[in-house]
Amino acid sequence: MILVFGGTTEGRKAVEVLEEAGSPFFYSTKTGEQDLTLQHGTRTDGAMDAEAMKAFIRQHGIRLIVDAAHPFASTLHQTIAAVSEDCQIPFIRYERIYPPRDPDITWIDDYSQIPDDIHSLLATTGVQSISRLKYLEERGVRVYYRILPRESSLALAKEQGTSPEQLCYYEDSSVIDIDAEAILLKESGETGGFSEKVAAARAKGMRIIALKRPKHFTLHSSLFTSVNGPYGLRRAVEHLLPEFYPLHSGLTTGTCATAAAVAATIRLTKGETPKEVPVILPNGETIQVPVTYGDDYASCFKEAGDDPDITNGIEVRAKVIESRGYEGTGARGYENTPASDKSRAPVPPCLRTPAIAIYGGAGVGTITLPGFDYPPGSPAINKAPREMICHNLEKLCTSVSLCLKNISVTISVPNGAEIAKKTFNPRLGIEGGISIIGVSGIVKPFSEEAFIDSIRKCMIIAQASGTGRVVINSGGKSERFVKALYPDLPRQAFVEYGNYIGETLKMAHELHFKNVTLGVMLGKAVKLAAGNLDTHSRKTTMDLDFIQQMLLESGISIDINDITLARELWERIPSTQLEDFANTVIRYCADYCNPLLPDGSLTILLIDDNGNIYS
C-alpha cells in the first residue's frame, strides 16, 4: 500500500500516475479542500505529526510513501524523512522543476528582507504569510493579498485583520488586476505558475521580489528517491514496489540513444564513467538511466518493460567526439568523422550552440522515401530523439569546465539491420537498420498510443507515395488476399490497422485520402458491424445475439449457440446464402465507418479464410 502526501499540483499528478495501476493507495491532505476524484485511492485529511504518521503506517500496512507536498512545507518534508527512517519504509520526493534564477528579480531568503523603498505590494505568497507581512502595513506600505477563494482562507485572512479591499483571488495566474508597485512571489517552480506570474508582473511594469524555496536537507539514505515528473514517479514505484503495477514501463530507443550520448560526453569532458546518467525527457523532467562503456563509445540497453517490443534488450551506442566543424550544411554534410563511419549519412546539424551534428552508424536505418521529418538519405532518427540529444548535450556542456564548440554524435545499434526485418521499417521504406524513435521518451506497456502512432506513420508514408488509394487491413493474411485486387498500387499504399479501424479511418480523413479500401476478416467484421470501432478482445467480444439478428435479416436460419469463433460461420451457412450474409455484415460495417470518411469513398471487403472476397 502507498501513502501519498499531496494537496498540490504534484499531488494531483501523483494520483494520475498511481490510478493507472488499478491498485489501492491513500491520498493525504492537510485541509481536504483539494478538488480531486479518486477511483482506486482513498482520501485521508488532516495534519499528521510523526506519531500519527507512524500509527497510520502500521494500521494500513503502508510500504511506500510519496511526498508530493508543497516545496515550502519544510516541516512536513522533515517529518516524512524521519518517519521513513524510523519505520524503514522507502519514500519518494516528487520535486518541482524550477527555472534558473533570473538576476533581474530581487531574491530574498525571508519576508523581513523585502526592500524598504517599496510603497505598495501585491503578495501572492498565500494566506499563511499575511501575519508575516503585517510589519509592512505598520510601516505604511499598502499591501494586497492574493489568496484562494476558500472558506478556510477567507476566515484566516479575516482573523489576521485584513480588510475586503486588500483581498483578491486566484483565477488566472497570468493576469494581474491590482495596481501595485511590486509583487511578492514564492519560488514555486513551473507547476506553481512562477514563470506566468513573472511575465504578468513585467507586463504591468512591476518590481518583482521572490522568496527563495527552502533548501531541502540532502538525504543519502538508500530509502530516499527524488523525482520531478510523472514518468520518473512511475518508474520509481515500479522499482520500489514492483507488484503495485501489473505491467511495467520501459524506455524508448530515443531515450537510450540520449543516455548513451550523455554518458559518452561526460567521459569526453570529465573523464568520468558513471553507471547511470541524468536524461531530460521532452516534458522537462529528468530520469536516471543506466549506461555502460566500450573502448570509444557509451551504451544503453533498451528496456521495454512489459511492452511487447522486438527491440527489447538491444544495445544502443553513442560515439561522441569534438569536431572541427561541418563540411556542408545539408543532410549529407560530414564532420571530422572516422573513415569507417563515412559510408553513412548524418542528420542535419542542430542549429544551436554548441553546434551538434548527429550521425547514423551501423544498425540505424536510412530513410528512402518522403513523408518523414527529414529527407530521403537521412538516418532514421526521429525529430524528438534528435531534439532530446541536442537539449541534453547543451545542458551538459554548460555545466562542464570544457565547453565544446562542435560535437559529433554517432548513434549505432549492433544487429540493428537484422532486428529491423521484424519491424514496420521495410514497409516504411527504411532500409539497413532500426529507427531511433520515441515522442515522450517512455514506453507504457501495451501502449495504444505507440501502436496508433505507428499506424499514423504508415498512413503518412502512403500519402507521400502519391497513391490515389490507401488499403487498410487487419494484418498480413488479409493483406495478401487484397493485394491481388490492386496489383498496381505501391507497397506503401497497404497499411495494417491491427484493431484500430476507427482511428485509422479518421487518419485517412485527416490526410485527405479520397479512396479507401478496408479489408476485414469475419472475426473483426462482426464486432465492427455491432459498432465496435476498436475490435481488440479486451474491449469487445463476439455478440452472438447480434450475429443471429444479421443471419435472420439475411434469410438464414441456423443454430449458432455453440460456436466460439466467428469464422465457423463460413462452414455453417449454406454456400448459396454466403453472399447474402456477407452483404448484411458489410452494410452494418458501412453504417459505422462511412461517417468517419465524410469526404472520401470507402470500399469494404469481407474476406474468408480461403481468400474469397465479398464486397
Side-chain angles (χ1 to χ4, degrees), residues 23-66:
S23 301
F25 63 93
F26 287 97
Y27 184 75
S28 172
T29 65
K30 182 178 180 180
T31 65
E33 293 179 299
Q34 186 178 28
D35 184 17
L36 196 67
T37 300
L38 299 174
Q39 298 296 326
H40 303 286
T42 301
R43 291 193 68 144
T44 176
D45 300 316
M48 290 190 197
D49 61 14
E51 292 307 313
M53 204 177 291
K54 291 177 185 178
F56 190 93
I57 287 170
R58 289 192 297 268
Q59 179 183 354
H60 298 285
I62 301 301
R63 297 172 55 200
L64 175 64
I65 299 172
V66 176

Side-chain angles (χ1 to χ4, degrees), residues 24 154 214 237 301 463 470 589 610:
L154 292 168
V237 172
F301 286 86
Q463 181 193 46
V470 64
C589 291
N610 297 317

Side-chain angles (χ1 to χ4, degrees), residues 440-555:
S440 68
I442 297 293
V443 176
K444 288 188 178 181
F446 299 96
S447 169
E448 291 187 13
E449 179 184 358
F451 193 90
I452 292 172
D453 186 54
S454 70
I455 297 172
R456 186 176 298 278
K457 288 187 177 73
C458 290
M459 293 290 283
I460 291 172
I461 294 299
Q463 181 193 46
S465 74
T467 180
R469 177 180 296 274
V470 64
V471 182
I472 62 175
N473 300 277
S474 60
K477 185 176 182 180
S478 61
E479 182 177 305
R480 285 196 304 273
F481 295 142
V482 173
K483 268 187 174 179
L485 299 181
Y486 300 101
D488 296 329
L489 289 181
R491 181 175 63 172
Q492 291 72 37
F494 297 87
V495 175
E496 292 184 13
Y497 56 73
N499 290 293
Y500 302 103
I501 298 173
E503 291 292 338
T504 307
L505 288 172
K506 290 176 186 177
M507 293 175 200
H509 171 64
E510 292 166 4
L511 294 171
H512 307 294
F513 279 104
K514 295 300 182 184
N515 297 289
V516 178
T517 295
L518 165 62
V520 61
M521 300 192 78
L522 192 57
K524 295 183 187 300
V526 294
K527 295 179 180 180
L528 178 60
N532 299 295
L533 294 167
D534 179 347
T535 59
H536 197 287
S537 58
R538 70 171 179 267
K539 296 287 185 68
T540 182
T541 57
M542 181 173 62
D543 185 342
L544 286 177
D545 290 337
F546 178 67
I547 294 174
Q548 188 71 69
Q549 175 189 323
M550 289 194 292
L551 287 167
L552 293 175
E553 289 182 24
S554 306

Side-chain angles (χ1 to χ4, degrees), residues 1-5 18 26 53-54 57 62-68 79-85 87 89-94 223 225 233 237 240-241:
M1 187 71 82
I2 297 176
L3 172 60
V4 181
F5 289 93
L18 298 183
F26 287 97
M53 204 177 291
K54 291 177 185 178
I57 287 170
I62 301 301
R63 297 172 55 200
L64 175 64
I65 299 172
V66 176
D67 177 5
T79 301
I80 292 172
V83 168
S84 165
E85 194 69 36
C87 298
I89 293 176
F91 82 98
I92 303 167
R93 180 175 293 152
Y94 194 147
L223 297 171
T225 303
L233 175 60
V237 172
L240 295 167
L241 202 64

